[in-house]
Amino acid sequence: MMKYLIISHGHFADGLKESIEMIAGPSENLSSLCLLGDMSPDSFYEEILEYVKDGGQTFVFVDLLGGTPFNTLIQIIKEYENVSFVTGANLAMCLGVITDDSVTTLEEAVALAKEYGAKSMVSKDDLIPKNA
């Protein structure tokens, strides 16, 4: 079974997890880790490591490319091939991937996350014709 982890600055990951579970129900294979202001990158590293070190497939949704949660995860991925990720986490992306029972590989999770992420970004001009 694929495990899912959401990591972020502040409490964003916890809020995203709470929203996912409000819509889809509780999930044993979904966790969140938040980098808070009083945490060191080393302690955040240890928390992520604890989650991924069992060797099972772990897909990680990251809030921001280039931030401390991302940089910390990159250090771990160098040692653990069972972990993959996507950045720019949002509710539509996470919900779409986590609730799709056909996802069995990290590669499938990456592709689906990118698809949901792209499809969920729309503007007024995408939805409302200019002459309406």
Side-chain angles (χ1 to χ4, degrees), residues 60-92:
V60 184
F61 298 95
V62 185
D63 64 344
L64 182 67
L65 175 67
T68 301
F70 171 81
N71 293 334
T72 304
L73 180 65
I74 291 298
Q75 294 173 21
I76 291 170
I77 284 180
K78 292 176 183 177
E79 299 174 34
Y80 290 86
E81 293 182 14
N82 62 305
V83 181
S84 192
F85 70 90
V86 67
T87 62
N90 65 51
L91 182 57

Side-chain angles (χ1 to χ4, degrees), residues 25-39:
S27 176
E28 291 182 13
N29 63 337
L30 174 61
S31 295
S32 57
L33 294 174
C34 301
L35 176 64
L36 303 176
D38 61 348
M39 291 177 72

Side-chain angles (χ1 to χ4, degrees), residues 3 5 7 33 39 41-56 58 60 69 72-83:
K3 294 189 315 182
L5 177 64
I7 63 174
L33 294 174
M39 291 177 72
D42 289 338
S43 64
F44 193 63
Y45 177 95
E46 291 300 323
E47 287 191 31
I48 296 172
L49 186 59
E50 186 66 31
Y51 191 79
V52 304
K53 71 180 182 182
D54 69 0
T58 303
V60 184
T72 304
L73 180 65
I74 291 298
Q75 294 173 21
I76 291 170
I77 284 180
K78 292 176 183 177
E79 299 174 34
Y80 290 86
E81 293 182 14
N82 62 305
V83 181

Side-chain angles (χ1 to χ4, degrees), residues 2 4 96-105 108-109 112 116:
M2 181 89 63
Y4 297 100
V97 174
I98 292 165
T99 60
D100 190 326
D101 293 332
S102 71
V103 175
T104 59
T105 68
E108 290 170 346
L112 195 58
Y116 275 108

